[in-house]
Amino acid sequence: MKAIRRFTVRPVLPPELGALDELAANLRWSWHQPTIDLFRDVDSRLWETDADPVGLLGEVTPDRLAALAADPGFVGRVDALRDDLRAYLAEPRWYQTLGAEVPRSIAYFSPEFGIAAALPQYSGGLGILAGDHLKSASDLGVPLIGVGLFYRSGYFRQTISREGWQEESYPVVDPDGLPMRVLRGPDGSAASVVLALPEGRTLTAHIWRLDVGRVPLLLLDTDIPENADELRGVTDRLYGGGGEHRLLQELLLGIGGTRAVKIFAGLDGRDEPEVFHSNEGHAGFLGLERAADLIGEGLTFDQALRVVRAGTVFTTHTPVPAGIDRFEAPLVERYFSTHLLPGVDVADVLALGVEPGAPADAPPTFNMAVMGLRLAQRANGVSKLHGEVSRSMFNALWPGFDADDVPIGSVTNGVHAPTWTDPEVAALAATTLGTRDTTAADWASPAVSDADLWNLKRRMRGHLVDDARQRMSAAWAEENPGIADPAWFRDLLDPDVLTIGFARRVPTYKRLTLMLHDPERLRALLNHAERPIQLVIAGKSHPADDEGKRLIQKLVEFAQAPDVRQRIVFLPNYDIGMAKRLYPGCDIWLNNPLRPLEACGTSGMKAALNGALNLSILDGWWNEYYDDRNGWAIPSADSAGDGAERDALEAAALYDLLEHQITPRFYERGEDGIPVKWVADMRHTLATLSPELSADRMVRQYVETLYAPAAVAERAITASSFQPARDLAAWTARVEAGWTGVHVAYVESGGVDATPQLGEQLHVRAYVELGELSPDDVKVELVHGHAREGDELTDIRRLRLDFESQEPDSPATFHNSVALDRSGSFGYTVRVVPNHPLLATPAELGLLATAQPSVVE
């Protein structure tokens, strides 16, 4: 019989243990090992079931609580950890040592947040990254406010049927059983945001607050009595529903989230954010809400747009156009032809989402990433390679500019080391190297012996084997109630066999089944008499992606074959809890996407922090960090004739690496049984990658290269009651209107011999027609570099040409000289771009005039 209603009853703790509530209420416990150990000691059986302090305290017996309250040693630990948490929340940290230019407050928007297994508000890498961003911001003292949605059913729970088919269920999440509370006003009523919808309807959302260390996280929830039944389900599931449902979620996240931040800041006595960071395009509507506020203060839309752009950072995670959220333009028009955003004209909204270069006969669409880029003065990809891919993918937004000029930089993702580094790794660092901070430990030190590292890895591999067996038994019991496990489950995997992990979402481009391309060759590797391998695999396919589900089914069917089933396993319901065993327990982390479709790929980072070596296509983060000692690069067959040939070539390269390089290295042992060369690579990986792959490095980079410049720009443009914004909007309108009159009339050069030599000075003078504009409105640049085939310039440098003179009704003259300090082919051109101190890059307005070959003298 099923309950018609479910809720969590909070326990009444003995006074001596009152601080447990305070520790459970702050999600710092999810990465603070002493606090985790404390809750485990309350009841280890309950802790291993959920790893959730709130749930634990709700289930533990009164007798156990009484016994703990009578234990002075335990009570002392509780009080000491409470005091430690309070100090952590109050003490100055890295951010507080920076100057006044950094923002006083930053709002960070994401559609999902992966913080702890107990809070299933994530689907994959994007959410885990967002959770790690908040955690490192907390550790560094960055004044971040997280903003998202509270999904009552989160993402789906995955099971695998007897036929190997993925099946989904959606357990309802009880907010009362989580470390969160409703944000309330001074009168005790729930704070809420309200959005006006078509047909006179309204959407109301309450605001839940969670504390992620020092960082508050606000999650909006529509499952409340104030909404009509069909609107209560807006925040039902992460990435669920069709186009209109998804649009409602993104309107709520962007517009409602911005309103929620303003409410929260007022109630909590905090500064309102100076910088707004949109983690992907899902939250892009936040810029329109901010514009509406500014219009209410007397600005026009164009003036408000300048302010919004100055303080907005946009991060794209999408390496392919098909991965971007798009909506039918008439649907967007319908929702903005309301009182949703007073003062904002629907035509201005639609213009922001128009895709440049879209076919004239194509149905009009609204592109969320395009809007995000148009509303942000600063944007970035999530690895160096992804930055390059993004500049090419969005080049059409800045017509005429080379891809290198497109204003999208990169901040390579990182992972939160205290969360993803196994406690045994941290313990080894503490006992031998004097620190639990594994990113700062001297892993090259002889204080850590080869035996220490090898025994550590074997223990973690053993933990993974035990965990995999338990998970398979639990999955069997769920699918086959009352029937005992198969006997071979007891020998599933081997703690002494080279273990390869592969776990991620299962879209087709990640190629889950590339390893199966030659089944017989894989069988031979799995069952090699002297050098066997074993594979531990996990991942979820989107519920609507039947092709991804077929890949899972194919893998499960292969793994069920009697001759390999003890060497390869697919673990259902990949989540944070599983990942914390999987990454440390693997010797090799495998990643074989179609290059360059992996924007970053942080799973391999988490494995590396635990001494695993990566085996990956040179894509995402691996493309910039592979150094020939921290793993192996699978050669990309980019020139293959088609996808099938590419898969065949890259699979063959994968098998070759495993057979001829990886397994011999792993099984080559000294007299003490230690693979010396393998352990040296583990040590090198820990020493060189631990600091670089840390989310602390990532967040510092965001602060220094994006947040601080955005705050400076926002303060500059809002000074003097927004007068700079008004001036910039007027200047932009004048420059855009007059740009058709700008062109390079001709270019003179001299100062070099007929056969130029290294060290000579090239003198260049450019004559530029400016039309209605003045010389101060433009920047004239000499663009020079090596001239390659087709006169394409590479290794480009730019030199500004100085204004010289301008006669009435004549071109303006600009000149400068460049030293020929590089031998080889040399080429140059002249370009003209808008020039204003409040522009972040020359390409910002998308206006460009370049010299043509016919104008050179």
Side-chain angles (χ1 to χ4, degrees):
M1 186 175 295
K2 295 184 178 181
I4 61 170
R5 186 183 174 204
R6 176 183 172 183
F7 54 86
T8 299
V9 179
R10 301 280 181 111
V12 177
L13 294 173
E16 297 87 349
L17 301 180
L20 284 176
D21 270 340
E22 190 173 337
L23 292 170
N26 192 303
L27 282 157
R28 187 210 186 196
W29 61 256
S30 67
W31 72 90
H32 189 245
Q33 194 60 43
T35 307
I36 292 172
D37 293 340
L38 177 79
F39 283 114
R40 180 181 285 112
D41 289 346
V42 170
D43 189 310
S44 59
R45 181 187 61 82
L46 289 174
W47 179 260
E48 296 304 331
T49 302
D50 336 85
D52 168 19
V54 175
L56 171 80
L57 295 177
E59 295 289 335
V60 69
T61 66
D63 288 347
R64 176 59 179 163
L65 290 174
L68 292 171
D71 180 348
F74 187 82
V75 172
R77 285 174 65 195
V78 172
D79 291 343
L81 285 170
R82 175 204 57 204
D83 294 344
D84 179 77
L85 174 62
R86 290 177 177 176
Y88 171 85
L89 297 177
E91 67 190 8
R93 303 187 77 82
W94 169 78
Y95 193 86
Q96 283 66 48
T97 68
L98 305 180
E101 289 188 348
V102 295
R104 291 182 291 274
S105 179
I106 304 149
Y108 179 87
F109 288 68
S110 179
E112 50 176 304
F113 287 91
I115 297 166
L119 193 69
Q121 302 290 304
Y122 61 94
S123 71
L126 180 70
I128 299 298
L129 168 78
D132 284 3
H133 197 109
L134 299 194
K135 292 173 183 178
S136 277
S138 173
D139 290 343
L140 295 170
V142 180
L144 215 64
I145 301 171
V147 186
L149 303 180
F150 178 64
Y151 306 98
R152 286 294 176 125
S153 295
Y155 203 48
F156 68 89
R157 183 178 182 276
Q158 178 197 51
T159 55
I160 303 297
S161 72
R162 294 183 184 181
E163 295 74 32
W165 192 253
Q166 171 182 292
E167 296 178 336
E168 302 93 19
S169 61
Y170 293 86
V172 176
V173 179
D174 175 19
D176 292 327
L178 296 171
M180 51 197 287
R181 59 192 186 278
V182 172
L183 191 66
R184 297 189 180 278
D187 62 355
S189 63
S192 61
V193 296
V194 181
L195 273 64
L197 302 182
E199 291 86 45
R201 299 174 300 154
T202 57
L203 176 66
T204 303
H206 286 175
I207 306 163
W208 292 97
R209 173 181 176 172
L210 299 88
D211 290 306
V212 185
R214 300 164 68 110
V215 174
L217 172 59
L218 310 178
L219 300 180
L220 277 64
D221 181 7
T222 62
D223 189 12
I224 56 176
E226 291 91 324
N227 287 321
D229 288 346
E230 70 273 12
L231 292 177
R232 292 186 68 155
V234 167
T235 55
D236 55 353
R237 299 174 182 177
L238 175 59
Y239 303 142
E244 187 165 4
H245 187 85
R246 186 76 164 262
L247 177 61
L248 277 165
Q249 288 188 341
E250 298 191 5
L251 290 168
L252 180 62
L253 176 60
I255 297 172
T258 304
R259 294 175 184 176
V261 168
K262 192 170 185 178
I263 292 169
F264 169 72
L267 291 174
D268 208 53
R270 297 183 181 231
D271 291 317
E272 289 191 25
E274 294 179 283
V275 174
F276 288 74
H277 183 176
S278 179
N279 189 37
E280 253 306 341
H282 309 81
F285 292 123
L286 69 87
L288 293 174
E289 167 64 16
R290 294 178 60 211
D293 271 351
L294 292 163
I295 290 169
E297 295 185 44
L299 300 186
T300 66
F301 181 79
D302 286 341
Q303 293 165 354
L305 191 61
R306 304 302 148 192
V307 177
V308 168
R309 283 178 48 78
T312 302
V313 174
F314 175 74
T315 298
T316 174
H317 295 259
T318 308
V320 288
I324 296 169
D325 273 355
R326 292 176 172 84
F327 298 105
E328 296 175 356
L331 178 64
V332 175
E333 182 177 16
R334 175 170 160 252
Y335 271 85
F336 282 92
S337 299
T338 62
H339 298 293
L340 178 62
L341 292 179
V344 177
D345 189 272
V346 66
D348 290 327
V349 174
L350 294 174
L352 290 168
V354 172
E355 297 184 22
D361 57 348
T365 60
F366 188 92
N367 185 307
M368 293 297 290
V370 166
M371 178 183 68
L373 289 165
R374 285 177 171 146
L375 286 173
Q377 196 172 44
R378 287 163 182 83
N380 68 285
V382 291
S383 68
K384 288 182 179 178
L385 178 60
H386 181 236
E388 295 174 16
V389 171
S390 299
R391 287 189 287 276
S392 295
M393 189 166 81
F394 294 108
N395 202 163
L397 284 170
W398 294 271
F401 285 89
D402 292 338
D404 287 347
D405 290 318
V406 169
I408 301 175
S410 65
V411 176
T412 301
N413 285 342
V415 297
H416 186 245
T419 294
W420 297 111
T421 304
D422 192 271
E424 292 200 39
V425 179
L428 177 62
T431 56
T432 59
L433 302 174
T435 177
R436 290 189 64 90
D437 183 355
T438 58
T439 67
D442 180 12
W443 290 106
S445 169
V448 181
S449 69
D450 286 356
D452 289 334
L453 288 172
W454 183 242
N455 291 333
L456 168 70
K457 179 54 73 172
R458 191 192 183 281
R459 288 195 303 273
M460 295 191 299
R461 199 185 305 119
H463 297 326
L464 170 59
V465 169
D466 291 342
D467 187 65
R469 291 173 181 174
Q470 291 169 11
R471 289 179 184 276
M472 289 299 288
S473 292
W476 174 271
E478 187 171 351
E479 286 292 317
N480 305 276
I483 302 175
D485 296 354
W488 62 268
F489 272 23
R490 291 189 288 275
D491 298 316
L492 179 67
L493 306 177
D494 184 330
D496 291 313
V497 167
L498 171 63
T499 303
I500 301 171
F502 183 104
R504 52 194 26 88
R505 290 183 305 108
V506 190
T508 53
Y509 79 85
K510 291 182 184 281
R511 298 192 295 183
L512 171 70
T513 56
L514 185 68
M515 63 185 76
L516 303 183
H517 195 273
D518 185 340
E520 294 311 311
R521 194 164 181 192
L522 178 58
R523 280 190 170 90
L525 288 164
L526 291 167
N527 294 319
H528 194 283
E530 298 175 355
R531 301 191 300 270
I533 68 169
Q534 59 192 10
L535 285 156
V536 185
I537 304 161
K540 293 179 175 180
S541 177
H542 188 279
D545 182 6
D546 282 350
E547 185 57 35
K549 293 180 184 181
R550 277 189 281 273
L551 296 179
I552 293 175
Q553 185 179 43
K554 182 178 179 181
L555 185 72
V556 170
E557 288 173 346
F558 177 86
Q560 290 172 343
D563 60 333
V564 297
R565 64 191 182 189
Q566 290 175 312
R567 288 279 187 264
I568 179 171
V569 60
F570 183 90
L571 300 178
N573 203 41
Y574 180 42
D575 64 2
I576 288 176
M578 182 193 297
K580 287 191 172 185
R581 285 296 189 201
L582 186 51
Y583 299 131
C586 290
D587 302 290
I588 290 288
W589 194 260
L590 175 61
N591 189 27
N592 46 232
L594 282 168
R595 188 181 192 270
L597 303 185
E598 184 80 273
C600 185
T602 55
S603 59
M605 294 180 168
K606 302 179 185 91
L609 261 59
N610 290 282
L613 309 182
N614 274 265
L615 170 60
S616 177
I617 295 287
L618 285 172
D619 201 4
W621 75 274
W622 189 236
N623 185 67
E624 66 194 83
Y625 282 110
Y626 167 63
D627 69 0
D628 212 24
R629 289 188 59 196
N630 49 23
W632 290 265
I634 303 170
S636 297
D638 295 342
S639 59
D642 57 25
E645 182 184 1
R646 180 174 183 171
D647 286 352
L649 291 170
E650 294 182 1
L654 169 61
Y655 299 137
D656 285 344
L657 286 169
L658 286 169
E659 182 177 354
H660 301 301
Q661 295 188 38
I662 296 172
T663 55
R665 196 174 189 86
F666 181 84
Y667 287 104
E668 181 185 340
R669 308 293 169 87
E671 292 183 0
D672 56 3
I674 297 173
V676 176
K677 293 180 181 178
W678 188 278
V679 173
D681 291 343
M682 287 177 55
R683 187 188 297 274
H684 174 76
T685 292
L686 288 167
T688 60
L689 290 184
S690 293
E692 286 297 311
L693 303 184
S694 164
D696 284 4
R697 184 271 310 154
M698 173 188 73
V699 172
R700 284 190 182 100
Q701 194 173 347
Y702 270 107
V703 169
E704 293 164 354
T705 65
L706 293 167
Y707 295 163
V712 170
E714 197 272 345
R715 292 168 190 167
I717 207 163
T718 58
S720 304
S721 301
F722 301 106
Q723 190 57 47
R726 295 184 175 90
D727 294 342
L728 179 59
W731 177 87
T732 299
R734 181 170 60 81
V735 169
E736 288 176 339
W739 198 256
T740 54
V742 176
H743 65 274
V744 180
Y746 55 99
V747 178
E748 295 177 346
S749 64
V752 297
D753 292 335
T755 304
Q757 295 185 10
L758 200 65
E760 291 186 344
Q761 294 276 332
L762 175 69
H763 306 300
V764 177
R765 179 171 280 104
Y767 299 85
V768 181
E769 295 283 2
L770 295 176
E772 300 298 319
L773 304 185
S774 75
D776 290 337
D777 293 327
V778 300
K779 180 191 294 184
V780 180
E781 295 178 319
L782 179 71
V783 183
H784 61 95
H786 289 301
R788 303 303 187 194
E789 185 176 351
D791 294 329
E792 287 293 323
L793 293 177
T794 61
D795 303 318
I796 287 175
R797 299 178 184 175
R798 296 181 182 86
L799 176 70
R800 183 167 185 173
L801 302 185
D802 299 324
F803 174 63
E804 185 176 292
S805 64
Q806 183 178 23
E807 299 296 329
D809 300 320
S810 298
T813 306
F814 299 81
H815 77 283
N816 211 331
S817 300
V818 61
L820 303 181
D821 59 359
R822 295 183 288 181
S823 59
S825 64
F826 180 88
Y828 70 89
T829 186
V830 171
R831 75 174 191 178
V832 186
V833 293
N835 179 52
H836 192 283
L838 293 178
L839 298 183
T841 71
E844 184 164 330
L845 300 185
L847 301 175
L848 175 71
T850 56
Q852 302 302 311
S854 59
V855 306
V856 179
E857 293 188 0

